[in-house]
Amino acid sequence: MICLESNRYRGLMTRADFTGIAPRVSRTAFTAAAARAAHLLVDVQPVIFSDTLAAKLLGDHAEELLAYHHVHGTHPVLAGARAQAVCRSRFTEDRLRRGNSGIDQYVILGAGLDSFAYRSAPGRFRVFEVDRAATQAAKRELLERAGVAVPASVTFVPVDFEADPLRERLVQSGLDPFRPVFVSWLGVTMYLTREAILATLTDLGGFAPGSEIVTDHVLPAELRDAAGNGYAEAVAPVAAEQGEPWRTFLSPAAMADLLREAGFEVVEQAGQRESVAPELWNRTDALRPAALSALAHARIPEPPGI
């Protein structure tokens, strides 16, 4: 069954026409946005996460990418992509908006086609979108074509994650390093080496006490269930063919160790099932929680004696 689903997914996604996307623009940014958009079009109530701008940000690729979900919506891998995308977004934005931390600086690492800044009421957060320059240029063009204005509260921070000092680039772009910041880092760690993940976390660990991060990671095969392994075996080869191979798989304990080594204290960790309210899994559609990935929420502690 796994091989069959892998071959079917490869057939679906390798036919997707990405020829209009510049070489260094992330393909996964488009497929993740398509998954969020398709959740509102394919799945039924209850809605896990409502990204009302995702479809617009797909531009000329919207019809084709969403057609896969329309026609093959019950396909385990496409349904799995939707579940993963909406769970991690819901988990992150729920914690960002809790409001009791007083944090008003929001950094989105690997922002891709994230739409938070354009569907949220302006004023509370200053948003720093961090990504490759090519991906950011494509996004700005898509926003303009969709008639979506970029708020004054948004700052684009072009970064080469393999070469640029992240914290320095953020401070140069206007982030106040002496006040807490909330960081989301979703759908990225599997593409990096363990050393690169730790280097980024350590850089972020230099921000002010009270700063928070939500990140996700793909589980190693022995911790995944059949659905999670089926998804990984179908998607990872296609991602590699498109120039974005999966490199690192982390257990929750291993991710917690990396966070602690970088100066964070772990607040909570959750799999897909635990990442959202239980009643959201009372469903009649194809969405099901899988043991594929996990989320970690961590905080930089106050120094001793404070």
Side-chain angles (χ1 to χ4, degrees):
M1 177 61 72
I2 289 176
C3 291
L4 177 61
E5 294 305 340
S6 178
N7 289 335
R8 285 177 177 171
Y9 182 77
R10 183 187 298 271
L12 288 173
M13 297 314 294
T14 55
R15 287 197 300 270
D17 182 8
F18 288 112
T19 55
I21 301 176
R24 288 186 60 81
V25 176
S26 171
R27 272 61 171 165
T28 56
F30 282 82
T31 54
R36 296 193 303 271
H39 177 52
L40 300 179
L41 302 172
V42 175
D43 302 316
V44 300
Q45 298 288 333
V47 170
I48 294 177
F49 182 74
S50 182
D51 188 339
T52 54
L53 288 180
K56 287 185 177 181
L57 293 183
L58 293 173
D60 294 340
H61 299 280
E63 182 177 356
E64 181 179 21
L65 289 174
L66 294 177
Y68 292 115
H69 290 273
H70 275 299
V71 177
H72 307 282
T74 59
H75 187 289
V77 178
L78 291 178
R82 297 197 302 277
Q84 179 170 237
V86 297
C87 285
R88 69 191 184 194
S89 294
R90 175 67 179 265
F91 182 91
T92 302
E93 292 192 14
D94 279 354
R95 278 138 191 84
L96 172 67
R97 288 190 167 111
R98 279 177 174 171
N100 55 6
S101 65
I103 295 176
D104 60 3
Q105 300 183 106
Y106 181 29
V107 173
I108 308 174
L109 297 184
L113 298 182
D114 187 278
S115 66
F116 171 83
Y118 316 98
R119 56 181 162 76
S120 303
R124 178 177 172 187
F125 295 102
R126 181 166 183 192
V127 180
F128 297 85
E129 294 198 6
V130 182
D131 215 324
R132 293 174 176 174
T135 297
Q136 292 184 331
K139 181 175 185 176
R140 298 186 78 158
E141 182 177 346
L142 289 165
L143 286 165
E144 183 177 356
R145 287 184 184 179
V148 178
V150 177
S153 57
V154 173
T155 300
F156 292 94
V157 186
V159 166
D160 180 341
F161 291 99
E162 297 177 356
D164 294 335
L166 175 60
R167 185 175 181 276
E168 181 180 326
R169 290 288 186 270
L170 284 164
V171 172
Q172 290 172 346
S173 298
L175 185 140
D176 185 347
F178 301 106
R179 293 191 297 111
V181 59
F182 191 104
V183 180
S184 70
W185 195 21
L186 304 177
V188 176
T189 59
M190 72 282 281
Y191 301 111
L192 306 177
T193 63
R194 186 186 185 282
E195 292 72 22
I197 296 168
L198 179 58
T200 297
L201 290 175
T202 301
D203 215 1
L204 297 171
F207 282 122
S211 295
E212 301 181 33
I213 184 171
V214 169
T215 187
D216 66 342
H217 55 98
V218 173
L219 298 169
E222 64 271 17
L223 295 182
R224 299 193 293 252
D225 60 9
N229 274 319
Y231 183 94
E233 292 178 19
V235 175
V238 177
E241 289 170 6
Q242 295 176 349
E244 296 176 295
W246 290 10
R247 292 188 169 93
T248 298
F249 308 93
L250 296 168
S251 68
M255 176 54 82
D257 286 343
L258 288 174
L259 286 162
R260 294 188 188 101
E261 188 174 347
F264 291 88
E265 60 180 11
V266 177
V267 177
E268 59 183 323
Q269 292 179 278
Q272 283 185 15
R273 180 177 294 279
E274 301 82 27
S275 66
V276 298
E279 59 269 21
L280 294 177
W281 293 120
N282 294 329
R283 316 194 61 85
T284 58
D285 54 30
L287 289 197
R288 300 291 182 272
L292 167 68
S293 59
L295 288 145
H297 177 203
R299 173 183 299 119
I300 300 174
E302 297 288 345
I306 299 297

